């Protein structure tokens, strides 16, 4: 679990105009909440935050004008076209505290021969873990799985100290049989071509 230190500043101006001004300065408006405290509005350095958020469930050590807080990203808004960060919600955490987060599911290995397809029914698993030891992902081996096989949430091995929150019987991955070509469709195209030539 990586911990990234970022300096943040408190902000007192709100609204779309203020947010646009912050983003023009290559910074990102954010809100820090949790532990029953009032939300704290902050401004974060855009490039550093973008790099940090490449790690799922990254632990941020925030220096807010001399006060240190630990937080994890809870909601990230990005520009749908350009992809830059527009706003981030951060959840306050403490060392030793357990939190529930979504972790990406990574499949590894080769399916059994036959051109079958692997479908990710769930791209993430909901798990509970200590705030300073959150897993970045969970890895599932699909080596040799045949068509019709599926992997349930309870089949996935989690790191020590990580508890599954997703329904244990939920299907996470399944192997779909390769689709056979439909000769009827090809015949129809050939007939249409022949009719076109006659015309």
């Amino acid at each position: 679990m990586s911990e990234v230190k970022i300096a943040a500043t408190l902000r007192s101006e709100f609204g779309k105009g203020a947010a646009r001004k912050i983003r023009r300065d290559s910074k990102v408006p954010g809100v820090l909440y949790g532990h029953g405290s009032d939300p704290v509005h902050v401004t974060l350095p855009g490039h550093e935050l973008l790099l940090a958020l490449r790690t799922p469930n990254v632990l941020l050590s925030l220096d807010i004008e001399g006060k240190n807080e630990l937080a994890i990203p809870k909601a990230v808004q990005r520009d749908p076209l350009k992809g830059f960060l527009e706003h981030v919600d951060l959840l306050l955490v403490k060392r030793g505290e357990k939190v529930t987060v979504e972790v990406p599911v990574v499949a590894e290995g080769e399916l059994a021969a036959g051109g079958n397809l692997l479908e990710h029914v769930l791209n993430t698993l909901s798990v509970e873990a200590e705030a300073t030891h959150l897993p970045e992902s969970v890895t599932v081996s699909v080596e040799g799985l045949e068509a019709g096989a599926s992997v349930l949430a309870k089949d996935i091995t989690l790191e020590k100290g990580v508890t599954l929150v997703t329904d244990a019987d939920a299907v996470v991955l399944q192997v779909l049989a390769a689709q056979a070509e439909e000769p009827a469709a090809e015949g129809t195209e050939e007939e249409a071509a022949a009719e076109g030539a006659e015309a």
Side-chain angles (χ1 to χ4, degrees):
M1 178 72 206
S2 55
E3 184 175 322
V4 178
K5 293 185 177 182
I6 289 183
T9 54
L10 295 171
R11 62 187 172 98
S12 54
E13 294 184 359
F14 309 104
K16 289 184 179 178
R20 274 198 294 268
K21 185 175 182 298
I22 290 170
R23 287 193 285 267
R24 273 200 302 271
D25 292 336
S26 300
K27 295 179 179 177
V28 181
V31 178
L32 189 62
Y33 63 95
H35 296 154
S37 58
D38 291 334
V40 177
H41 297 267
V42 294
T43 299
L44 302 142
H47 184 65
E48 289 175 51
L49 184 62
L50 188 66
L51 292 177
L53 292 177
R54 288 182 179 175
T55 302
N57 300 317
V58 64
L59 182 67
L60 299 173
S61 176
L62 299 174
D63 179 355
I64 308 171
E65 299 180 3
K67 184 182 179 184
N68 193 261
E69 298 280 11
L70 289 177
I72 57 173
K74 203 62 183 171
V76 178
Q77 294 174 23
R78 297 176 187 270
D79 180 273
L81 296 176
K82 297 180 181 175
F84 61 78
L85 297 173
E86 291 193 323
H87 188 274
V88 63
D89 285 350
L90 302 171
L91 181 66
L92 278 169
V93 295
K94 292 178 180 173
R95 295 188 192 280
E97 176 186 10
K98 290 208 165 184
V99 293
T100 299
V101 294
E102 297 289 319
V103 292
V105 176
V106 178
E108 65 176 16
E110 297 289 328
L111 298 176
N116 298 321
L117 302 173
L118 181 66
E119 181 187 16
H120 282 254
V121 181
L122 295 178
N123 289 313
T124 62
L125 278 187
S126 186
V127 300
E128 184 185 67
E130 203 261 306
T132 55
H133 293 89
L134 297 176
E136 293 180 12
S137 63
V138 290
T139 304
V140 187
S141 174
V142 295
E143 189 66 41
L145 290 186
E146 305 269 356
S150 58
V151 177
L152 305 181
K154 64 185 177 186
D155 300 330
I156 298 174
T157 303
L158 300 175
E159 296 175 20
K160 186 179 178 182
V162 179
T163 308
L164 183 68
V165 176
T166 297
D167 179 9
D169 292 318
V171 176
V172 180
L173 302 168
Q174 62 185 11
V175 183
L176 306 176
Q179 296 294 313
E181 293 290 330
E182 296 179 17
E186 289 178 11
T188 307
E189 286 174 15
E190 286 168 11
E191 287 165 19
E195 285 172 13
E198 286 172 15

